[in-house]
Amino acid sequence: MAFRKALKQTAVIGGGAVATLFGLSQLMEYRKTQTRLAHVTAEAELRVPFADEFPSRRAQLAALQSTEEFDVLVVGGGATGAGCALDAVTRNLKTALVERNDFSSGTSSRSTKLIHGGVRYLQKAIMQLDYEQYMMVKEALRERANLLEIAPHLSAPLPIMLPVYKWWQLPYFWVGIKMYDLVAGIQNLKSSYVLSKTKALEHFPMLKKDKLVGAIVYYDGQHNDARMNLAIALSSARYGAAVANYTEVVRLLKTTDPQSGKEKVCGARCRDVITGQEFDVKAKCVINATGPFTDSLRKMDNKESNNICQPSAGVHIVIPGYYSPDNMGLLDPSTSDGRVIFFLPWEKMTIAGTTDSPTSVTAHPIPGEDDINFILREIRNYLSPDVEVRRGDVLAAWSGIRPLVTDPNSKDTQSICRNHIVSISDSGLVTIAGGKWTTYRSMAEETLDAAVEAHGLSAEPCKTAGLMLEGAKGWTPTLYIRLVQDYGLENEVAQHLASTYGGKAFDVAKMAQVTGQRWPIVGKRLVSEFPYIEGEVLYAMKEYACTAIDVMARRTRLGFLNVQAADEALPRIVQIMGKELDWSEEQKTTQLEAARKFLYLEMGYRSRSEQLTKTSEINLDNQEVARYKKRFHNFDKESKGFITTVDVQQVLESINVHIDENALHEILNEVDLNKNGQVEIDEFMQLMSAVKKGQVSDSRLAMLMKTAEETLNKRGPVTVDRSGGGF
């Protein structure tokens, strides 16, 4: 009866004839089609001033300075700020956006990479009969569907497994997940389903099988967060917004309202971070979309403003892709301290997180060793004992600051707002704070609605629902095949370009260099194990990349995937950018040092390197000590107590293996803890102990010496005519 009643109500809303003819499922599809047609019509009406090419950053700065007055000035280039700029410019408002760092340099690039409604929020909504949380989930699920539609190259549905280890939990979790499907309604991605223990292990063979009852699989979305943020910002630039990264607000400009006699915000004094030049940007309305730095701008407006941001740090780690299936995530709904941990495939690696702990606001959050180890412990609880979860397998780690907020209009200023807030100060500063990545578009719509009303702006209705983002047009799932056929790119590189740039991938391919090899014809990689190519560095500068960090971390995602690989790619990135931007040698050195500092502190390189230090304990038994001493003495034939590149080179030549001298220096330098150009036996023992404990993995020196020893013991010297010359 309930189903019939719902169908009847739907028929009344959608037209009785249509509902009768098609039925409920057909009606849903019909409505989706009608919505898409409406979006296409709205999009066709939009003016696109820069359809062919973006204006340069210099031109954007000139527009900021020369425009007499903007309707809207957005401060902040994260997902919310970029969303506000896109919303404003497509309402035919004269729009500007400034960001003091790079687009998506903060929280928006350091997320869990999920586009989701929030299963745990729905659980709380049901258990606590909380209507506000229920509506928050419903809104997020609607926005999830929209984001997957408007950027199909950057996002996709992802099945996520919820393993069940107690029989009573199976119906409990099943009902909850089915409610999640139900709340999504016509925006549901795919129906959730139950797996037996056998099927669960087939899908996720790394899973701990002991006491496993079965599993439930549901669907959420996943995306490339930094590239998504950039696509939103670039889309606003396409439609005519003046957007500039590395442009900070020094102070807010104010004027006195002749009618009320009160001060009103009328723009901002800005500074080009790169050149130091300062200039004024006038605007009828200023929007504060600065995330964790919300209070800083609020205090520029009014020094007496109370802090509303309560920052929380979330740490994520990246480990090798073999820890998870290619297309199946995992949700730990209740960790040892009651938090939720996601374990997801991402960019052919595995991402795990997040933690949630109070922190101070900083532009450079650092992942803590305690948080990294907490995530590793939780992973071990769910993976098979056959899979050794090693600290040394952490390839990158980062911390993102989530800007939880209190409502400034609430009497209870200590209560955290579960969703987002839009507030307008007495001087007219519009602040949007809180919320989540998935709902950036609806947050921007609400913000612009409030700004239009408060400032009496002449604006059209919101047009961003269904508005395709940069790269979405022209993308198809098989686009990469054309890239392979037309340009001679490697299959993996072509797939990467298609899923990163969408329809703009052809523009990147045109910039790819000829390799000089039979195959691939074009596309020199920055590092061998990742599909990022040198042509992307050139294209990144068209996308307003100004520093090596911009390219390494946000135009490509190399810095987030593997800090050592990123470090290897840096010199070439700096070289390409330096030639294009005419950097001096001093500027190149500065860029290189800044990027390495970023990797060391913010991407977990320091935590990784601290696993092997001069004070590391040696934890080896007598047999292991004897075995490793013997291995060391194969190279230290003169019993000096240390080895150098010369010693290693001699042994390798004796078995006809050739390694570049610079590469050998790098290999020994990883273990040379006191940096004296040689590896002492104590340093070698510390290395082998760290390898044993899992603190260090993929040590090139350890692997090289082990392989060389095995060759010497089993085969003896290899003649030149039998050797392939490789290692």
Side-chain angles (χ1 to χ4, degrees), residues 474-727:
W475 178 86
T476 66
T478 57
L479 182 145
Y480 75 95
I481 297 174
R482 286 177 55 200
L483 290 170
V484 174
Q485 293 174 337
D486 293 354
Y487 293 93
L489 289 161
E490 289 178 83
N491 188 61
E492 184 186 10
V493 170
Q495 287 181 328
H496 152 67
L497 294 181
S499 64
T500 302
Y501 303 95
K504 300 297 178 183
F506 295 99
D507 295 339
V508 185
K510 289 172 186 175
M511 293 182 166
Q513 287 185 315
V514 175
T515 64
Q517 301 171 346
R518 185 184 63 79
W519 189 264
I521 298 171
V522 300
K524 289 185 178 180
R525 295 194 182 211
L526 288 168
V527 283
S528 59
E529 66 265 44
F530 288 92
Y532 302 114
I533 60 173
E534 293 181 0
E536 291 181 80
V537 181
L538 295 170
Y539 192 77
M541 287 178 275
K542 291 182 176 291
E543 296 180 322
Y544 304 120
C546 300
T547 71
I549 297 174
D550 299 343
V551 174
M552 174 186 65
R554 293 175 285 273
R555 302 311 182 278
T556 73
R557 305 312 307 274
L558 192 53
F560 279 79
L561 293 169
N562 189 316
V563 288
Q564 284 188 305
D567 188 45
E568 284 180 30
L570 268 176
R572 184 58 181 148
I573 292 173
V574 170
Q575 185 182 28
I576 295 170
M577 294 187 76
K579 183 178 179 180
E580 193 73 13
L581 301 175
D582 197 25
W583 286 343
S584 65
E585 289 303 316
E586 184 181 356
Q587 286 175 305
K588 290 178 186 177
T589 301
T590 301
Q591 287 288 327
L592 201 58
E593 289 175 351
R596 284 184 168 146
K597 182 179 179 182
F598 171 81
L599 288 175
Y600 186 72
L601 295 176
E602 297 182 51
M603 290 293 110
Y605 211 161
R606 182 179 71 173
S607 294
R608 184 179 174 88
S609 62
E610 285 177 351
Q611 301 308 307
L612 182 62
T613 66
K614 288 184 284 187
T615 58
S616 298
E617 291 184 12
I618 297 175
N619 185 17
L620 300 170
D621 60 36
N622 292 334
Q623 286 184 330
E624 289 168 332
V625 169
R627 182 165 73 250
Y628 295 139
K629 278 185 176 180
K630 180 183 176 184
R631 184 175 300 171
F632 188 84
H633 287 135
N634 283 331
F635 291 79
D636 180 22
K637 295 185 182 300
E638 298 174 6
S639 300
K640 305 183 299 294
F642 63 86
I643 58 174
T644 64
T645 54
V646 175
D647 297 316
V648 177
Q649 194 76 271
Q650 287 176 349
V651 173
L652 294 180
E653 285 177 358
S654 72
I655 58 174
N656 202 39
V657 171
H658 306 286
I659 294 181
D660 179 73
E661 187 176 349
N662 290 331
L664 268 183
H665 276 291
E666 289 179 11
I667 290 170
L668 263 68
N669 191 55
E670 292 172 1
V671 188
D672 180 13
L673 303 178
N674 53 18
K675 303 305 176 189
N676 61 356
Q678 56 197 32
V679 174
E680 282 90 8
I681 190 167
D682 286 349
E683 291 173 326
F684 180 68
M685 290 299 182
Q686 286 173 316
L687 168 65
M688 300 316 298
S689 178
V691 169
K692 175 186 175 182
K693 290 185 284 187
Q695 294 173 324
V696 172
S697 63
D698 55 47
S699 167
R700 293 187 287 178
L701 182 63
M703 191 65 68
L704 183 150
M705 293 178 72
K706 178 184 177 184
T707 308
E709 181 186 57
E710 290 173 351
T711 304
L712 289 169
N713 290 343
K714 293 181 180 179
R715 301 193 324 182
V718 181
T719 59
V720 175
D721 61 323
R722 289 178 56 203
S723 171
F727 188 80

Side-chain angles (χ1 to χ4, degrees), residues 164-217:
V164 180
Y165 288 90
K166 296 177 182 177
W167 279 108
W168 67 266
Q169 289 180 332
L170 200 57
Y172 173 76
F173 286 139
W174 182 83
V175 170
I177 294 298
K178 280 299 175 186
M179 282 293 294
Y180 194 60
D181 290 352
L182 187 63
V183 172
I186 64 171
Q187 280 94 20
N188 192 35
L189 302 180
K190 293 182 182 180
S191 293
S192 57
Y193 55 90
V194 177
L195 290 174
S196 66
K197 176 179 178 177
T198 302
K199 287 292 183 183
L201 292 171
E202 282 180 16
H203 283 82
F204 210 117
M206 310 84 175
L207 203 59
K208 183 173 72 175
K209 61 182 74 173
D210 187 35
K211 297 182 180 178
L212 181 68
V213 172
I216 300 168
V217 176

